[in-house]
Amino acid sequence: MSPSTSVSALTIAGSDSGGGAGIQADLKTFAAHQVHGLSAIAALTAQNTRGVTAVHVPPLDFLRAQIDACFDDFNIHAVKLGMLANADVIHLVADALERYRPAQIVLDPVMVATSGAKLLEDSALQAMRERLLPLATLLTPNTPEAELLLDRRIGNAADARSAARALLDMGARAVLLKGGHLLEGERVIDRYFDGTNDREFDHPRLPVDAHGTGCTLASAIAAQLCRGRTMPAACEAAIDYIARGLHGGYQPGRSEVMVLDHIGAAFRA
């Protein structure tokens, strides 16, 4: 696979000082797909495999400067959105995306860390619904995030299918509802819906406590879109990438939390 040098992918998200999620995972994923990765850091976290201990949101002018610098010099085909901690940040990012109009916007609506730490202020939820969902080419919530966006419970497969359609009605052009938090036997089922295509992707549920899978999935989809795949094909390839990364995952910290093996997964990215 030759590098894709004509287009870049930009992640606008939070930094994970532990290296397993956020901006760090996004850039590893872009590199694994041989897509040039750019970053605009919307939040700084003091974080390790045990949890998040502090969050700092940089000045808005500095975030705007990062985004402008990237669009000023690079051919950005896809933007991946991750942790955007408050309403002011969301409005700034939405304004920038409306100005620059990248071809693909993959929105991972990060609200709560795997550790349980809250990463989104209450006032930001409505801003995300009103400003970012209508801009998203693809929305990639997990079950708890979809429940917050829709203000309703998702308890089974029928609820999940209904939720994917409801999220589409909120403005996103396509939805990939991740199934890791929904217990459906020994398989994890991710549900894709764009109004025309209705697909389910499933993998065996692995007995691991993994960190950074949501960030990595969204950035892998963005990278696959940069390489010319259709949205359903990009989702399928990115889900396979996560599965490979989990199979080769390792525990870099003193907890039992596992991070993905991007190098091992890259050989077939």
Side-chain angles (χ1 to χ4, degrees):
M1 181 175 61
S2 60
S4 176
T5 57
S6 62
V7 297
S8 299
L10 166 65
T11 171
I12 306 174
S15 168
D16 171 11
S17 56
I23 291 278
Q24 286 79 355
D26 296 339
L27 293 177
K28 292 175 186 178
T29 304
F30 295 156
H33 289 79
Q34 298 194 10
V35 170
H36 184 65
L38 313 170
S39 63
I41 298 176
L44 300 165
T45 69
Q47 184 174 177
N48 55 32
T49 62
R50 295 170 174 172
V52 179
T53 58
V55 176
H56 172 69
V57 179
L60 293 177
D61 286 347
F62 184 69
L63 175 57
R64 183 183 296 109
Q66 292 178 79
I67 296 171
D68 289 344
C70 289
F71 277 99
D72 181 60
D73 191 36
F74 300 94
N75 177 16
I76 298 172
H77 183 72
V79 174
K80 179 260 180 172
L81 303 178
M83 178 185 174
L84 306 175
N86 59 46
D88 288 339
V89 170
I90 288 173
H91 286 300
L92 184 149
V93 170
D95 288 345
L97 294 175
E98 288 173 350
R99 174 184 175 189
Y100 291 112
R101 293 289 175 182
Q104 306 284 352
I105 299 172
V106 180
L107 170 58
D108 181 23
V110 177
M111 299 177 186
V112 180
T114 302
S115 63
K118 191 172 183 180
L119 300 177
L120 185 76
E121 295 180 4
D122 292 337
S123 61
L125 182 58
Q126 193 60 26
M128 182 174 288
R129 290 181 182 130
E130 294 177 353
R131 295 298 310 279
L132 291 183
L133 261 67
L135 296 175
T137 316
L138 177 72
L139 177 69
T140 65
N142 60 31
T143 300
E145 291 160 350
E147 288 178 331
L148 285 171
L149 287 168
L150 294 170
D151 194 23
R152 74 191 205 201
R153 186 175 179 276
I154 300 170
N156 53 44
D159 290 346
R161 286 189 287 269
S162 174
R165 290 168 173 78
L167 289 167
L168 196 75
D169 291 340
M170 293 178 71
R173 285 194 281 175
V175 175
L176 180 66
L177 179 57
K178 297 174 289 191
H181 290 78
L182 189 63
L183 297 180
E184 298 184 78
E186 297 181 355
R187 310 292 290 182
V188 174
I189 302 174
D190 301 313
R191 294 175 168 87
Y192 174 86
F193 186 64
D194 63 15
T196 301
N197 296 287
D198 190 351
R199 298 186 60 183
E200 294 185 353
F201 308 105
D202 69 276
H203 281 279
R205 184 178 294 274
L206 300 176
V208 297
D209 183 5
H211 178 56
T213 54
C215 305
T216 300
L217 177 64
S219 53
I221 294 169
Q224 293 285 353
L225 293 170
C226 284
R227 300 196 64 87
R229 289 185 185 265
T230 65
M231 186 64 76
C235 290
E236 183 174 18
I239 291 168
D240 289 343
Y241 178 83
I242 294 290
R244 296 195 302 276
L246 284 172
H247 278 289
Y250 59 98
Q251 297 172 349
R254 293 187 175 91
S255 76
E256 295 183 358
V257 171
M258 177 183 291
V259 301
L260 300 179
D261 173 19
H262 292 270
I263 295 174
F267 288 110
R268 292 173 54 197

